[in-house]
Amino acid sequence: MVHVCVHSAIVICVSLSLYAVVNNHDEIGVPNFYSLHSWLGLATISLLFVQVWLWLTVHLIPQVPDAIKEDLIPVHRFMGMVVLALSVVTIISGITEKARFMDNLEEPYSGLPAYGLVSNLLALSVVFFGLGVAFLVVNPEFDRAKSDDPSEFLDLTSD
């Protein structure tokens, strides 16, 4: 259930962020979706929404057999890893883009000013976070306990 709650919060935050960015760009006259960062972000958001839609479709329709739910678990894991990897790349490209914008305003980035150091440390922390999550996902030691009843972990309607 924690997984569902965290990802619900992510979907809400991503939706609000996308609205805020597009609205801000429109207000100041900056084009939308012109950079690699924005294209990667759009791809990441699209895959996230496909993942959520698929999960809702499979788990909230009671007629979907448990065998199909079980068969989709590896697909769900793989797509989650793809969304995670795209998220990390998107965040790093956004940090780099912002640092390059600031390069025109302040001291050169090549001198590693304070904003450059913070940008680099933030990007490294995002990479290490992504690697940590990927490690937890692929390591069988951290798998959920197996059950004889597959609907126990796959169906929100069970108690």
Side-chain angles (χ1 to χ4, degrees), residues 93-112:
S93 67
I95 292 169
T96 303
E97 185 177 290
K98 184 64 175 176
R100 295 303 296 166
F101 287 156
M102 292 184 72
D103 191 25
N104 295 331
L105 302 175
E106 298 179 11
E107 58 187 296
Y109 190 80
S110 60
L112 194 60

Side-chain angles (χ1 to χ4, degrees), residues 2 7 10 17 25 28 32 55 66 70 83-84 93 98 104 109 119 141-142 148-149 152 159:
V2 171
H7 282 83
I10 289 170
S17 299
H25 280 197
I28 63 174
N32 291 307
W55 183 87
D66 287 341
E70 283 185 43
V83 169
L84 174 67
S93 67
K98 184 64 175 176
N104 295 331
Y109 190 80
S119 297
E141 190 176 317
F142 296 99
D148 293 334
D149 181 15
E152 180 179 334
D159 290 329

Side-chain angles (χ1 to χ4, degrees), residues 82-158:
V82 169
V83 169
L84 174 67
L86 276 173
S87 298
V88 168
V89 171
T90 302
I91 292 167
I92 291 172
S93 67
I95 292 169
T96 303
E97 185 177 290
K98 184 64 175 176
R100 295 303 296 166
F101 287 156
M102 292 184 72
D103 191 25
N104 295 331
L105 302 175
E106 298 179 11
E107 58 187 296
Y109 190 80
S110 60
L112 194 60
Y115 72 86
L117 181 63
V118 170
S119 297
N120 291 348
L121 291 174
L122 182 60
L124 282 175
S125 67
V126 169
V127 169
F128 288 126
F129 173 78
L131 290 173
V133 172
F135 174 76
L136 293 175
V137 170
V138 300
N139 191 335
E141 190 176 317
F142 296 99
D143 273 356
R144 194 182 317 193
K146 301 294 184 216
S147 171
D148 293 334
D149 181 15
S151 65
E152 180 179 334
F153 292 118
L154 301 172
D155 190 3
L156 287 179
T157 58
S158 64

Side-chain angles (χ1 to χ4, degrees), residues 20-88:
V21 167
V22 170
N23 192 34
N24 183 52
H25 280 197
D26 290 345
E27 284 182 11
I28 63 174
V30 174
N32 291 307
F33 307 111
Y34 66 94
S35 66
L36 176 63
H37 168 68
S38 58
W39 290 6
L40 287 170
L42 203 54
T44 305
I45 291 168
S46 299
L47 286 176
L48 175 66
F49 286 151
V50 166
Q51 180 89 319
V52 169
W53 175 82
L54 182 63
W55 183 87
L56 287 172
T57 301
V58 168
H59 286 67
L60 296 181
I61 297 175
Q63 293 82 8
V64 175
D66 287 341
I68 291 177
K69 293 176 185 179
E70 283 185 43
D71 289 344
L72 286 175
I73 291 173
V75 175
H76 179 74
R77 276 191 174 173
F78 174 74
M79 290 301 297
M81 293 295 290
V82 169
V83 169
L84 174 67
L86 276 173
S87 298
V88 168

